[in-house]
Amino acid sequence: MRNSTYLKMGLNMLLHSKLRSWLTIIGIVIGIGSVVGILSLGDAMEEQVQSRLSEMDLTLITISPGYTRASSNMPGPGGGPGGTTTDVELTDDDVEALQGLDGIEYIAGQISGSEPVVYAGENATMTITGVDPQVWQYMTTLETQSGRLLEPSDKYVAVIGSGVATETYDQEIGVNQVITVNGKSVRVIGILTEEGQGDRSIYMPIDAAVNIIDDAEEDVYDTITVKAKSEDLVDGLMEDIEDKLMVSRHIIREDDQDFSVSASKSMAESVTEMTSSMTLFLGAIAAVSLLVGAVGIANTMFTSVLEKTKEIGTMKAIGAKNRDILMIFIFNSAMVGFVGGVLGVILGAFVSTLFPYLGMTMMGGGSDSGLYLAPDLMAFGLILAIVIGVGSGVVPAYRASKLKPVDALRYE
Protein backbone atom coordinates (compact mmCIF):
# COMPACT_ATOMS: atom_id res chain seq x y z
CA MET A 1 0.00 0.00 0.00
CA ARG A 2 1.03 3.61 -0.51
CA ASN A 3 1.33 6.19 2.23
CA SER A 4 -1.68 7.99 0.76
CA THR A 5 -3.70 4.82 1.26
CA TYR A 6 -2.53 4.55 4.89
CA LEU A 7 -3.50 8.20 5.39
CA LYS A 8 -6.89 7.73 3.81
CA MET A 9 -7.69 4.63 5.88
CA GLY A 10 -6.38 6.23 9.08
CA LEU A 11 -8.56 9.29 8.45
CA ASN A 12 -11.54 7.04 7.77
CA MET A 13 -11.01 5.32 11.14
CA LEU A 14 -10.80 8.70 12.84
CA LEU A 15 -13.99 9.99 11.22
CA HIS A 16 -15.97 6.84 12.01
CA SER A 17 -15.16 6.86 15.70
CA LYS A 18 -16.03 10.51 16.34
CA LEU A 19 -16.99 10.56 20.00
CA ARG A 20 -14.18 8.34 21.27
CA SER A 21 -11.60 10.07 19.08
CA TRP A 22 -12.65 13.56 20.10
CA LEU A 23 -12.63 12.66 23.78
CA THR A 24 -9.09 11.39 23.27
CA ILE A 25 -8.14 14.49 21.30
CA ILE A 26 -9.37 16.74 24.11
CA GLY A 27 -6.74 15.23 26.38
CA ILE A 28 -4.01 16.09 23.88
CA VAL A 29 -5.45 19.57 23.33
CA ILE A 30 -5.29 20.33 27.06
CA GLY A 31 -1.79 18.91 27.40
CA ILE A 32 -0.32 20.68 24.38
CA GLY A 33 -2.17 23.90 25.24
CA SER A 34 -0.74 23.83 28.77
CA VAL A 35 2.81 23.12 27.64
CA VAL A 36 2.73 25.71 24.86
CA GLY A 37 1.11 28.35 27.08
CA ILE A 38 3.59 27.83 29.92
CA LEU A 39 6.61 27.78 27.63
CA SER A 40 5.30 30.95 26.00
CA LEU A 41 4.99 32.58 29.42
CA GLY A 42 8.50 31.40 30.27
CA ASP A 43 9.90 32.88 27.06
CA ALA A 44 8.16 36.20 27.76
CA MET A 45 9.46 36.26 31.33
CA GLU A 46 12.99 35.51 30.20
CA GLU A 47 12.76 38.19 27.52
CA GLN A 48 11.63 40.76 30.07
CA VAL A 49 14.34 39.72 32.51
CA GLN A 50 17.02 39.97 29.83
CA SER A 51 15.63 43.35 28.78
CA ARG A 52 15.83 44.64 32.34
CA LEU A 53 19.28 43.14 32.83
CA SER A 54 20.52 44.87 29.69
CA GLU A 55 19.52 48.18 31.32
CA MET A 56 21.38 47.37 34.53
CA ASP A 57 24.97 48.28 35.16
CA LEU A 58 26.46 44.89 36.06
CA THR A 59 29.71 46.49 37.22
CA LEU A 60 28.11 48.02 40.34
CA ILE A 61 28.85 46.68 43.83
CA THR A 62 26.91 47.87 46.86
CA ILE A 63 28.19 47.85 50.43
CA SER A 64 25.54 48.02 53.14
CA PRO A 65 25.76 48.23 56.94
CA GLY A 66 24.85 45.00 58.69
CA TYR A 67 25.62 41.45 57.70
CA THR A 68 22.84 39.25 56.37
CA ARG A 69 23.13 35.73 57.72
CA ALA A 70 20.63 34.11 55.42
CA SER A 71 22.49 30.81 55.27
CA SER A 72 23.87 30.68 58.77
CA ASN A 73 22.34 29.48 62.02
CA MET A 74 24.90 31.25 64.13
CA PRO A 75 23.60 34.25 66.03
CA GLY A 76 25.06 37.52 64.85
CA PRO A 77 26.08 40.52 66.90
CA GLY A 78 22.87 42.31 66.04
CA GLY A 79 20.35 39.52 66.44
CA GLY A 80 19.51 35.88 65.97
CA PRO A 81 19.82 33.64 62.96
CA GLY A 82 18.94 35.35 59.72
CA GLY A 83 19.13 38.80 61.31
CA THR A 84 21.33 41.77 60.52
CA THR A 85 23.33 44.11 62.64
CA THR A 86 21.63 47.48 63.03
CA ASP A 87 24.00 49.63 65.08
CA VAL A 88 26.85 49.90 62.59
CA GLU A 89 27.66 52.69 60.17
CA LEU A 90 29.52 53.14 56.93
CA THR A 91 31.72 56.20 57.02
CA ASP A 92 34.17 58.16 54.94
CA ASP A 93 36.95 56.05 56.51
CA ASP A 94 35.54 53.00 54.71
CA VAL A 95 35.54 54.89 51.40
CA GLU A 96 39.14 55.96 51.93
CA ALA A 97 40.16 52.40 52.82
CA LEU A 98 38.74 51.05 49.57
CA GLN A 99 39.98 53.76 47.23
CA GLY A 100 43.35 52.08 46.78
CA LEU A 101 41.95 48.79 45.50
CA ASP A 102 42.70 47.81 41.93
CA GLY A 103 39.68 47.42 39.72
CA ILE A 104 37.69 50.30 41.19
CA GLU A 105 36.70 52.95 38.66
CA TYR A 106 34.44 55.03 40.89
CA ILE A 107 33.38 54.87 44.53
CA ALA A 108 30.88 57.03 46.40
CA GLY A 109 28.76 57.06 49.53
CA GLN A 110 25.01 57.63 49.46
CA ILE A 111 22.32 58.56 51.96
CA SER A 112 18.55 58.48 51.74
CA GLY A 113 15.47 59.34 53.74
CA SER A 114 11.81 60.24 53.44
CA GLU A 115 11.02 63.92 53.81
CA PRO A 116 8.06 66.24 53.15
CA VAL A 117 8.21 67.94 49.76
CA VAL A 118 5.98 70.93 49.04
CA TYR A 119 5.13 72.20 45.58
CA ALA A 120 2.39 74.69 44.63
CA GLY A 121 0.91 74.46 48.12
CA GLU A 122 0.66 70.66 48.08
CA ASN A 123 2.59 68.46 50.48
CA ALA A 124 3.84 64.92 49.82
CA THR A 125 6.41 62.70 51.47
CA MET A 126 9.08 61.64 49.01
CA THR A 127 12.31 59.65 49.08
CA ILE A 128 15.33 61.93 49.07
CA THR A 129 18.63 60.38 47.95
CA GLY A 130 21.89 62.21 48.50
CA VAL A 131 24.59 61.27 46.00
CA ASP A 132 28.10 62.41 45.24
CA PRO A 133 27.71 64.86 42.31
CA GLN A 134 31.38 64.36 41.44
CA VAL A 135 30.81 60.84 40.14
CA TRP A 136 27.05 60.13 40.17
CA GLN A 137 26.55 60.94 36.50
CA TYR A 138 29.21 58.32 35.66
CA MET A 139 27.85 55.62 37.97
CA THR A 140 24.11 55.80 37.37
CA THR A 141 22.19 54.31 34.48
CA LEU A 142 19.39 56.85 34.91
CA GLU A 143 18.80 59.28 32.07
CA THR A 144 16.97 62.58 31.90
CA GLN A 145 14.05 63.35 29.62
CA SER A 146 14.63 67.05 30.22
CA GLY A 147 17.29 69.09 31.98
CA ARG A 148 20.53 67.44 33.14
CA LEU A 149 22.07 65.22 35.82
CA LEU A 150 23.93 66.54 38.86
CA GLU A 151 27.32 68.16 38.37
CA PRO A 152 30.16 68.80 40.84
CA SER A 153 29.30 72.49 41.41
CA ASP A 154 25.64 71.79 42.27
CA LYS A 155 24.28 72.09 45.81
CA TYR A 156 20.62 72.90 46.53
CA VAL A 157 19.35 71.45 43.26
CA ALA A 158 17.58 68.21 42.47
CA VAL A 159 16.96 65.69 39.73
CA ILE A 160 13.48 64.24 40.14
CA GLY A 161 11.76 61.11 38.85
CA SER A 162 9.10 61.35 36.17
CA GLY A 163 6.46 60.20 38.68
CA VAL A 164 7.35 63.09 41.00
CA ALA A 165 7.17 65.54 38.11
CA THR A 166 3.86 64.46 36.59
CA GLU A 167 1.81 62.38 39.04
CA THR A 168 2.43 63.54 42.59
CA TYR A 169 1.04 67.05 42.41
CA ASP A 170 -1.86 68.63 40.56
CA GLN A 171 0.53 70.97 38.79
CA GLU A 172 3.32 69.34 36.80
CA ILE A 173 6.85 70.17 37.91
CA GLY A 174 9.17 71.42 35.19
CA VAL A 175 12.87 72.13 34.93
CA ASN A 176 13.96 75.23 36.90
CA GLN A 177 10.85 75.06 39.10
CA VAL A 178 11.49 75.32 42.83
CA ILE A 179 10.27 72.74 45.33
CA THR A 180 10.56 72.90 49.12
CA VAL A 181 12.18 69.87 50.70
CA ASN A 182 11.89 69.73 54.49
CA GLY A 183 11.72 73.53 54.57
CA LYS A 184 14.66 74.11 52.16
CA SER A 185 14.15 75.56 48.68
CA VAL A 186 15.53 73.29 45.99
CA ARG A 187 15.63 74.01 42.25
CA VAL A 188 14.79 71.20 39.85
CA ILE A 189 17.50 70.87 37.19
CA GLY A 190 16.52 67.57 35.61
CA ILE A 191 13.60 65.15 35.18
CA LEU A 192 14.36 61.45 34.70
CA THR A 193 12.91 59.30 31.98
CA GLU A 194 10.10 56.98 33.03
CA GLU A 195 11.40 53.50 33.70
CA GLY A 196 10.12 52.37 37.09
CA GLN A 197 13.37 52.69 39.00
CA GLY A 198 13.63 56.14 40.52
CA ASP A 199 10.29 57.41 39.24
CA ARG A 200 9.29 58.41 42.79
CA SER A 201 12.71 59.59 43.99
CA ILE A 202 14.49 62.91 44.29
CA TYR A 203 18.28 62.97 43.85
CA MET A 204 20.36 65.76 45.42
CA PRO A 205 24.03 66.46 46.09
CA ILE A 206 24.94 64.67 49.30
CA ASP A 207 26.22 67.82 51.05
CA ALA A 208 22.81 69.47 50.68
CA ALA A 209 20.96 66.24 51.48
CA VAL A 210 22.79 65.98 54.82
CA ASN A 211 21.27 69.32 55.81
CA ILE A 212 17.80 68.27 54.66
CA ILE A 213 17.39 64.64 55.70
CA ASP A 214 16.65 64.21 59.39
CA ASP A 215 19.15 62.06 61.29
CA ALA A 216 21.67 62.29 58.45
CA GLU A 217 25.27 62.89 59.52
CA GLU A 218 28.20 64.22 57.58
CA ASP A 219 30.58 61.51 56.28
CA VAL A 220 28.17 58.75 57.37
CA TYR A 221 26.53 56.79 54.57
CA ASP A 222 23.59 54.44 54.21
CA THR A 223 25.37 52.62 51.39
CA ILE A 224 28.64 52.80 49.53
CA THR A 225 28.52 52.11 45.79
CA VAL A 226 31.54 50.88 43.85
CA LYS A 227 31.77 50.77 40.07
CA ALA A 228 34.27 48.18 38.81
CA LYS A 229 36.35 48.86 35.75
CA SER A 230 34.82 45.84 34.03
CA GLU A 231 32.22 43.15 34.66
CA ASP A 232 34.93 40.47 34.76
CA LEU A 233 36.53 42.13 37.79
CA VAL A 234 33.36 42.18 39.91
CA ASP A 235 33.74 38.81 41.66
CA GLY A 236 37.39 39.35 42.60
CA LEU A 237 36.72 42.93 43.62
CA MET A 238 33.93 41.84 45.97
CA GLU A 239 36.37 39.56 47.79
CA ASP A 240 38.99 42.33 47.94
CA ILE A 241 36.42 44.75 49.37
CA GLU A 242 35.41 42.29 52.09
CA ASP A 243 39.03 41.60 53.02
CA LYS A 244 39.92 45.29 53.05
CA LEU A 245 36.97 46.31 55.18
CA MET A 246 37.56 43.45 57.62
CA VAL A 247 41.06 44.82 58.19
CA SER A 248 40.15 48.51 58.26
CA ARG A 249 37.23 47.91 60.62
CA HIS A 250 39.39 45.68 62.83
CA ILE A 251 37.17 42.64 62.39
CA ILE A 252 38.95 39.33 62.98
CA ARG A 253 36.22 36.69 62.91
CA GLU A 254 33.79 36.32 60.02
CA ASP A 255 31.00 35.97 62.58
CA ASP A 256 31.66 39.56 63.64
CA GLN A 257 31.34 40.94 60.11
CA ASP A 258 29.04 43.98 60.26
CA PHE A 259 28.69 44.88 56.59
CA SER A 260 27.37 43.20 53.44
CA VAL A 261 28.74 43.31 49.92
CA SER A 262 26.40 42.59 47.02
CA ALA A 263 26.69 42.99 43.26
CA SER A 264 24.03 43.72 40.68
CA LYS A 265 25.69 41.01 38.57
CA SER A 266 24.98 38.36 41.24
CA MET A 267 21.38 39.49 41.60
CA ALA A 268 20.94 39.37 37.82
CA GLU A 269 22.27 35.81 37.69
CA SER A 270 19.96 34.78 40.55
CA VAL A 271 16.91 36.23 38.79
CA THR A 272 17.83 34.46 35.55
CA GLU A 273 18.27 31.11 37.33
CA MET A 274 15.01 31.57 39.21
CA THR A 275 13.10 32.31 36.01
CA SER A 276 14.54 29.26 34.24
CA SER A 277 13.79 27.00 37.21
CA MET A 278 10.22 28.26 37.48
CA THR A 279 9.59 27.71 33.76
CA LEU A 280 11.02 24.20 33.98
CA PHE A 281 8.89 23.40 37.02
CA LEU A 282 5.67 24.66 35.42
CA GLY A 283 6.53 22.85 32.19
CA ALA A 284 6.97 19.60 34.13
CA ILE A 285 3.52 20.04 35.68
CA ALA A 286 2.01 20.65 32.25
CA ALA A 287 3.76 17.55 30.93
CA VAL A 288 1.68 15.44 33.31
CA SER A 289 -1.43 16.36 31.34
CA LEU A 290 0.38 15.28 28.18
CA LEU A 291 1.06 11.91 29.80
CA VAL A 292 -2.64 11.55 30.52
CA GLY A 293 -3.40 12.40 26.90
CA ALA A 294 -0.90 9.79 25.70
CA VAL A 295 -2.58 7.13 27.86
CA GLY A 296 -5.91 8.17 26.36
CA ILE A 297 -4.61 7.67 22.81
CA ALA A 298 -3.20 4.24 23.69
CA ASN A 299 -6.53 3.23 25.24
CA THR A 300 -8.45 4.41 22.19
CA MET A 301 -6.14 2.55 19.87
CA PHE A 302 -6.42 -0.72 21.83
CA THR A 303 -10.22 -0.38 21.71
CA SER A 304 -10.09 0.36 18.01
CA VAL A 305 -8.00 -2.76 17.38
CA LEU A 306 -10.54 -4.90 19.23
CA GLU A 307 -13.45 -3.38 17.29
CA LYS A 308 -11.76 -3.90 13.95
CA THR A 309 -10.35 -7.37 14.54
CA LYS A 310 -12.61 -9.00 11.97
CA GLU A 311 -11.89 -6.19 9.50
CA ILE A 312 -8.17 -6.79 10.02
CA GLY A 313 -8.69 -10.50 9.33
CA THR A 314 -10.53 -9.70 6.11
CA MET A 315 -7.79 -7.31 4.95
CA LYS A 316 -5.13 -9.92 5.63
CA ALA A 317 -7.17 -12.59 3.87
CA ILE A 318 -7.21 -10.52 0.66
CA GLY A 319 -3.47 -9.83 0.78
CA ALA A 320 -2.75 -7.02 3.28
CA LYS A 321 0.65 -7.46 4.95
CA ASN A 322 1.57 -6.99 8.60
CA ARG A 323 3.31 -3.72 7.68
CA ASP A 324 0.12 -2.42 6.04
CA ILE A 325 -1.94 -3.05 9.19
CA LEU A 326 0.80 -1.55 11.34
CA MET A 327 1.01 1.62 9.23
CA ILE A 328 -2.79 2.10 9.10
CA PHE A 329 -3.04 2.20 12.88
CA ILE A 330 0.14 4.29 13.21
CA PHE A 331 -1.29 6.84 10.77
CA ASN A 332 -4.54 6.84 12.71
CA SER A 333 -2.83 7.55 16.04
CA ALA A 334 -0.60 10.17 14.37
CA MET A 335 -3.69 11.94 13.06
CA VAL A 336 -5.22 11.97 16.53
CA GLY A 337 -2.01 13.61 17.78
CA PHE A 338 -1.93 16.03 14.82
CA VAL A 339 -5.50 17.24 15.30
CA GLY A 340 -4.94 17.50 19.07
CA GLY A 341 -1.69 19.37 18.43
CA VAL A 342 -3.28 21.93 16.10
CA LEU A 343 -6.09 22.64 18.53
CA GLY A 344 -3.66 22.59 21.46
CA VAL A 345 -1.43 25.21 19.83
CA ILE A 346 -4.48 27.38 19.19
CA LEU A 347 -5.50 26.96 22.85
CA GLY A 348 -1.96 27.78 23.97
CA ALA A 349 -1.95 30.93 21.83
CA PHE A 350 -5.28 31.98 23.30
CA VAL A 351 -4.09 31.34 26.87
CA SER A 352 -0.89 33.29 26.15
CA THR A 353 -2.90 36.36 25.23
CA LEU A 354 -4.66 36.15 28.59
CA PHE A 355 -1.50 36.08 30.72
CA PRO A 356 -0.83 39.85 30.65
CA TYR A 357 -4.40 40.56 31.72
CA LEU A 358 -3.98 38.14 34.63
CA GLY A 359 -0.89 40.03 35.81
CA MET A 360 1.40 37.09 34.97
CA THR A 361 4.36 39.17 33.83
CA MET A 362 7.74 39.80 35.31
CA MET A 363 8.84 43.09 36.82
CA GLY A 364 5.62 44.92 36.05
CA GLY A 365 5.80 44.48 32.34
CA GLY A 366 2.08 45.21 32.04
CA SER A 367 -0.21 44.27 29.26
CA ASP A 368 2.03 45.90 26.71
CA SER A 369 4.77 43.39 27.41
CA GLY A 370 3.40 41.40 24.47
CA LEU A 371 3.18 37.67 25.16
CA TYR A 372 3.10 35.99 21.80
CA LEU A 373 3.56 32.52 20.45
CA ALA A 374 6.83 32.17 18.59
CA PRO A 375 6.70 30.08 15.37
CA ASP A 376 9.30 27.63 16.68
CA LEU A 377 7.20 27.07 19.82
CA MET A 378 4.12 26.40 17.67
CA ALA A 379 6.10 23.92 15.60
CA PHE A 380 7.43 22.29 18.78
CA GLY A 381 3.91 21.85 20.16
CA LEU A 382 2.65 20.33 16.91
CA ILE A 383 5.59 17.95 16.51
CA LEU A 384 5.35 16.94 20.18
CA ALA A 385 1.66 16.08 19.74
CA ILE A 386 2.37 13.95 16.65
CA VAL A 387 5.25 12.16 18.39
CA ILE A 388 3.04 11.41 21.39
CA GLY A 389 0.28 10.19 19.07
CA VAL A 390 2.63 7.88 17.19
CA GLY A 391 4.34 6.68 20.39
CA SER A 392 1.02 5.88 22.02
CA GLY A 393 -0.21 3.94 18.99
CA VAL A 394 2.87 1.81 18.38
CA VAL A 395 1.97 -1.07 20.73
CA PRO A 396 -1.71 -1.38 19.68
CA ALA A 397 -0.67 -1.14 16.01
CA TYR A 398 2.00 -3.81 16.47
CA ARG A 399 -0.49 -6.16 18.13
CA ALA A 400 -2.98 -5.55 15.32
CA SER A 401 -0.35 -6.31 12.70
CA LYS A 402 0.52 -9.63 14.35
CA LEU A 403 -3.05 -10.96 14.34
CA LYS A 404 -3.44 -14.15 12.34
CA PRO A 405 -6.16 -13.92 9.65
CA VAL A 406 -7.96 -17.07 10.83
CA ASP A 407 -8.03 -15.97 14.47
CA ALA A 408 -9.10 -12.47 13.50
CA LEU A 409 -11.99 -13.70 11.35
CA ARG A 410 -13.22 -15.99 14.17
CA TYR A 411 -13.06 -13.20 16.75
CA GLU A 412 -16.40 -12.43 18.41
Side-chain angles (χ1 to χ4, degrees):
M1 292 184 185
R2 297 179 180 178
N3 288 335
S4 58
T5 305
Y6 299 143
L7 181 62
K8 182 179 179 181
M9 297 185 71
L11 180 61
N12 188 53
M13 290 171 61
L14 178 64
L15 295 176
H16 285 82
S17 55
K18 293 180 180 177
L19 179 61
R20 187 174 65 245
S21 295
W22 279 106
L23 289 176
T24 304
I25 287 172
I26 287 175
I28 296 297
V29 171
I30 295 173
I32 293 295
S34 302
V35 170
V36 168
I38 288 174
L39 291 180
S40 175
L41 175 63
D43 287 347
M45 287 164 48
E46 186 174 353
E47 184 180 345
Q48 288 186 25
V49 168
Q50 293 301 326
S51 174
R52 293 302 176 106
L53 293 183
S54 66
E55 299 171 359
M56 292 176 62
D57 186 350
L58 300 183
T59 63
L60 291 182
I61 300 171
T62 302
I63 305 162
S64 307
Y67 181 56
T68 302
R69 300 174 182 278
S71 58
S72 173
N73 291 325
M74 298 188 64
T84 59
T85 56
T86 57
D87 56 348
V88 295
E89 294 177 338
L90 296 174
T91 68
D92 209 39
D93 293 338
D94 297 313
V95 175
E96 291 179 1
L98 297 176
Q99 281 177 334
L101 290 177
D102 292 334
I104 291 181
E105 186 170 13
Y106 299 109
I107 181 171
Q110 182 172 299
I111 62 174
S112 63
S114 296
E115 301 296 340
V117 179
V118 179
Y119 177 69
E122 293 184 74
N123 191 358
T125 300
M126 311 296 296
T127 300
I128 310 298
T129 303
V131 298
D132 186 348
Q134 302 278 346
V135 297
W136 184 60
Q137 59 180 306
Y138 307 111
M139 299 179 70
T140 185
T141 57
L142 299 174
E143 296 179 351
T144 56
Q145 59 176 312
S146 59
R148 61 173 175 82
L149 294 175
L150 299 174
E151 293 180 352
S153 59
D154 291 329
K155 192 167 185 182
Y156 282 98
V157 297
V159 175
I160 64 176
S162 61
V164 178
T166 60
E167 300 173 4
T168 305
Y169 304 97
D170 290 340
Q171 292 187 32
E172 189 171 316
I173 303 175
V175 175
N176 290 323
Q177 298 291 315
V178 176
I179 58 178
T180 303
V181 184
N182 204 10
K184 303 277 187 182
S185 296
V186 176
R187 183 169 60 90
V188 175
I189 61 167
I191 297 173
L192 298 172
T193 54
E194 183 179 356
E195 60 174 17
Q197 180 188 6
D199 280 357
R200 308 287 296 179
S201 294
I202 296 175
Y203 297 89
M204 296 181 59
I206 192 168
D207 289 341
V210 167
N211 297 327
I212 287 177
I213 298 175
D214 291 337
D215 302 328
E217 300 178 40
E218 195 167 350
D219 295 335
V220 175
Y221 308 115
D222 293 325
T223 58
I224 295 174
T225 305
V226 174
K227 182 178 176 62
K229 290 180 179 176
S230 76
E231 190 179 324
D232 296 334
L233 298 175
V234 169
D235 292 336
L237 189 54
M238 288 178 67
E239 295 179 5
D240 293 342
I241 289 172
E242 282 200 8
D243 294 341
K244 192 71 175 180
L245 288 180
M246 292 282 280
V247 173
S248 67
R249 296 170 76 91
H250 308 292
I251 300 171
I252 298 176
R253 300 188 311 159
E254 288 188 4
D255 294 342
D256 296 331
Q257 183 172 333
D258 58 1
F259 62 89
S260 298
V261 181
S262 60
S264 53
K265 177 184 175 184
S266 301
M267 289 187 285
E269 291 172 348
S270 298
V271 171
T272 302
E273 291 177 4
M274 183 186 68
T275 304
S276 300
S277 299
M278 188 166 63
T279 302
L280 185 63
F281 175 71
L282 294 176
I285 293 176
V288 173
S289 57
L290 267 182
L291 179 62
V292 174
V295 172
I297 292 180
N299 182 54
T300 300
M301 295 305 298
F302 275 117
T303 305
S304 181
V305 169
L306 292 176
E307 288 179 350
K308 296 183 180 301
T309 299
K310 279 194 173 182
E311 191 174 336
I312 293 170
T314 303
M315 292 175 65
K316 284 199 166 185
I318 61 177
K321 300 178 182 177
N322 290 353
R323 180 177 181 278
D324 296 329
I325 303 300
L326 176 73
M327 293 304 294
I328 289 171
F329 280 92
I330 290 291
F331 267 71
N332 178 239
S333 60
M335 291 183 67
V336 171
F338 175 76
V339 174
V342 171
L343 297 178
V345 168
I346 294 173
L347 176 65
F350 175 72
V351 171
S352 297
T353 61
L354 296 180
F355 282 142
Y357 301 101
L358 297 175
M360 299 178 71
T361 55
M362 289 291 292
M363 298 180 179
S367 59
D368 294 334
S369 56
L371 283 182
Y372 72 97
L373 216 53
D376 56 345
L377 186 55
M378 297 171 65
F380 169 75
L382 192 56
I383 292 172
L384 180 62
I386 295 174
V387 169
I388 289 175
V390 172
S392 303
V394 166
V395 174
Y398 178 77
R399 291 184 60 176
S401 69
K402 291 300 181 183
L403 287 173
K404 294 180 180 179
V406 176
D407 295 336
L409 289 171
R410 289 178 177 173
Y411 180 77
E412 294 293 339

